[in-house]
Amino acid sequence: MEVTRRAYPSDVTDDEWSFLLPYLLLVREDAAQRQYPLRELFNALRYVVRTGCTWRYLPHDLPPWATCYQQWARWRDARVFEALTDDLRQVLRLNEARPADPSAVIFDSRTLQSTPESGHRAGYDGAKRRKGSKVHVAVDTLGHLLAAVVTPANEQDRAQVGVLAEEVQVASGQSVTLAYADQGYTGEVPAQTAEQHGIALQVVKLGHTKRGFVLLPRRWVVERSLSWSARYKRLARDYERLAVSLQQLHYLAFAGLMLAKAAGLNLLPGA
């Protein structure tokens, strides 16, 4: 099927697509049941996550929304974007003359306001005074995503250390030995939980004499990464019925950020 529409800013480039295609091919690209180009289905997904558009409001020059959603669900359930972020992270780290897998990570979380779609699994975050979901993330010291976990917003950050540490070690091949975090992770229990996974948890505390804005060591990296993901309008609130959808959309958003960075550095095949 030939595509004749005008491109959207969220469309993938030729160089990006040559890198992406092997990850997205769950069946042959020329399979008999495929009616629309796989690239157009992915472009529709990128349009949704970047603009915040609901599925039924996809522009008419993209494939039908139901077809796009079904393909997204297949990619989501196959965890293709986790594999994509893992490989992109290694490519970008090697370009910085660093080991492919990190030895240190930073933990943090962000609370997203619930919507009627996600309200059934929402919790109330007393600190943020917001009902919704909390996305707990771990990034390396360059800001690249290693793990993302979604919980109700009333769940404490320190209670997710074990899950994050386990996910981090799986993604890094057991290479991580140190994790930085804010004061929400203070206590013996989270430190012991991290230690069970071979990670020393170091809490970066805010000075008692703080006046105005203070750039805290290491913590600013993950806060910058979360601000990057906030540019994706679909992630401005929790619009997803399933927690796994919100989780995998974060991997997709970070994959897009890392892919653009790799393309800018001419690290993609054919670039």
Side-chain angles (χ1 to χ4, degrees):
M1 178 179 177
E2 184 180 357
V3 179
T4 58
R5 65 173 177 83
R6 293 179 60 183
Y8 293 107
S10 56
D11 286 357
V12 294
T13 65
D14 291 340
D15 290 337
E16 290 174 339
W17 184 244
S18 66
F19 184 89
L20 283 167
L21 183 58
Y23 297 89
L24 303 180
L25 278 177
L26 302 181
V27 297
R28 290 173 46 187
E29 190 174 17
D30 59 351
Q33 66 268 34
R34 192 182 304 286
Q35 299 182 35
Y36 300 93
L38 195 65
R39 182 168 176 172
E40 281 295 270
L41 296 175
F42 184 72
N43 281 334
L45 174 58
R46 292 246 296 200
Y47 185 93
V48 167
V49 70
R50 191 67 179 85
T51 66
C53 168
T54 58
W55 288 103
R56 286 175 172 81
Y57 281 76
L58 272 174
H60 293 302
D61 53 2
L62 290 169
W65 75 266
T67 303
C68 298
Y69 180 82
Q70 289 172 1
Q71 185 60 60
W72 146 243
R74 296 186 189 103
W75 284 329
R76 176 198 67 200
D77 295 342
R79 302 296 198 273
V80 298
F81 301 116
E82 291 187 39
L84 178 59
T85 55
D86 286 345
D87 289 350
L88 282 169
R89 185 182 61 253
Q90 292 185 5
V91 168
L92 291 171
R93 287 183 61 84
L94 290 172
N95 185 65
E96 296 277 345
R98 296 173 181 245
D101 293 310
S103 60
V105 296
I106 308 104
F107 293 162
D108 203 355
S109 67
R110 66 186 292 240
T111 299
L112 301 180
Q113 181 76 38
S114 64
T115 61
E117 288 75 21
S118 63
H120 65 283
R121 53 181 176 78
Y124 184 74
D125 184 343
K128 302 291 178 61
R129 298 182 180 180
R130 183 180 300 172
K131 182 180 179 182
S133 300
K134 189 176 285 188
V135 182
H136 310 262
V137 301
V139 303
D140 67 7
T141 53
L142 296 176
H144 305 138
L145 184 67
L146 279 90
V149 177
V150 176
T151 68
N154 59 313
E155 294 285 341
Q156 296 292 323
D157 290 350
R158 59 177 62 91
Q160 307 308 316
V161 168
V163 179
L164 275 178
E166 182 178 359
E167 293 290 331
V168 160
Q169 294 295 39
V170 170
S172 66
Q174 304 290 323
S175 69
V176 175
T177 59
L178 177 63
Y180 299 96
D182 63 22
Q183 294 177 108
Y185 297 83
T186 303
E188 293 184 4
V189 174
Q192 292 172 356
T193 303
E195 187 64 33
Q196 293 173 2
H197 296 277
I199 298 176
L201 184 63
Q202 180 175 328
V203 176
V204 181
K205 296 184 178 181
L206 188 65
H208 295 293
T209 59
K210 176 193 174 185
R211 288 181 180 274
F213 176 75
V214 176
L215 192 65
L216 295 172
R218 303 297 181 182
R219 277 175 51 180
W220 69 270
V221 175
V222 67
E223 290 166 358
R224 181 188 62 178
S225 296
L226 291 175
S227 71
W228 286 342
S229 68
R231 294 177 178 176
Y232 287 77
K233 302 304 183 183
R234 186 77 180 196
L235 305 182
R237 292 193 175 193
D238 184 359
Y239 294 105
E240 312 307 320
R241 292 189 181 277
L242 302 177
V244 66
S245 294
L246 182 61
Q247 177 203 41
Q248 293 301 310
L249 284 176
H250 274 78
Y251 281 106
L252 173 61
F254 274 94
L257 292 166
M258 296 159 69
L259 196 64
K261 183 178 179 181
L265 295 171
N266 295 323
L267 300 179
L268 301 181

